[in-house]
Amino acid sequence: GEDVEQSLFLSVREGDSSVINCTYTDSSSTYLYWYKQEPGAGLQLLTYIFSNMDMKQDQRLTVLLNKKDKHLSLRIADTQTGDSAIYFCADQNRDDKIIFGKGTRLHILP
Amino acid sequence: EPEVTQTPSHQVTQMGQEVILRCVPISNHLYFYWYRQILGQKVEFLVSFYNNEISEKSEIFDDQFSVERPDGSNFTLKIRSTKLEDSAMYFCASSVGEKLFFGSGTQLSVL
């Protein structure tokens, strides 16, 4: 079945850029998402990209999509302590079902 | 910005009891979903609902689960006889057919 994979942990120094990577297997993706989950909280939609785009920028966030390699990345510029959270990559298929990755825990070093 | 609201935020129940998790989707949305996340695991799809009926369900969504839209605003998930393994964070989501908006979740603990 369809799958979404991402590394489980990432540590970044405050002020540096964070890059969280994700790969997916679905050939019929419509949208790809990045969600943020802070401790005890729900899923906050950070950004999304339509599958026929290859880049989207939104303030400190840059999403890159390589559809050929089925690779999605999220770059957070000037990482702050408030960015500490779990980041979920998710793929929406043509049946509008969303498949989530396991999440990448972003840890900010002082 | 409009949001999906879920109540309660935490629910503790005894094994074998029935629970109802409540969601108020965004008002003009047409598609409704339940997902769950067992601690430390992936967020998993449970069920989608459109036009007053289930449009898709996963293998997790067995006969113990049901969904309902009892009025124009609420969307509920009922677990008839809870099991220990039902302990998870349950997320409701809604959409107009494009991106999904998630609620903040209900943490269900089955003792």
Side-chain angles (χ1 to χ4, degrees), chain B residues 34-99:
Chain B
W34 283 100
Y35 284 76
R36 79 171 185 192
Q37 184 186 24
I38 294 172
L39 187 65
Q41 297 187 24
K42 288 187 181 188
V43 179
E44 302 170 291
F45 169 77
L46 291 178
V47 66
S48 58
F49 192 87
Y50 170 71
N51 203 24
N52 283 321
E53 60 183 26
I54 290 173
S55 44
E56 190 174 354
K57 59 184 180 179
S58 72
E59 59 196 24
I60 302 166
F61 195 88
D62 61 22
D63 292 344
Q64 293 300 311
F65 291 87
S66 61
V67 288
E68 205 177 31
R69 193 151 156 79
D71 51 44
S73 58
N74 288 285
F75 179 52
T76 62
L77 174 70
K78 186 196 290 188
I79 308 174
R80 234 177 304 280
S81 176
T82 49
K83 302 190 276 282
L84 295 176
E85 53 265 38
D86 293 327
S87 293
M89 178 81 93
Y90 287 81
F91 293 104
C92 173
S94 69
S95 81
V96 288
E98 295 185 343
K99 63 183 188 291

Side-chain angles (χ1 to χ4, degrees), chain B residues 92-109:
Chain B
C92 173
S94 69
S95 81
V96 288
E98 295 185 343
K99 63 183 188 291
L100 269 66
F101 291 82
F102 281 84
S104 54
T106 293
Q107 180 66 56
L108 176 65
S109 298

Side-chain angles (χ1 to χ4, degrees), chain A residues 20 22 24 26 28-35 45-58 61-67 70-75 88-93 98, chain B residues 98-100:
Chain A
I20 305 172
C22 167
Y24 60 97
D26 180 16
S28 65
S29 294
T30 53
Y31 291 91
L32 293 128
Y33 299 84
W34 284 103
Y35 286 91
L45 177 63
L46 275 183
T47 187
Y48 67 98
I49 189 166
F50 193 49
S51 58
N52 68 357
M53 297 169 65
D54 50 24
M55 187 182 103
K56 181 177 179 181
Q57 185 145 7
D58 183 2
L61 305 178
T62 303
V63 180
L64 294 177
L65 174 61
N66 181 329
K67 202 170 178 182
K70 298 192 176 75
H71 181 269
L72 182 75
S73 68
L74 172 71
R75 179 176 177 269
F88 290 92
C89 171
D91 158 47
Q92 181 171 346
N93 66 17
I98 294 196
Chain B
E98 295 185 343
K99 63 183 188 291
L100 269 66

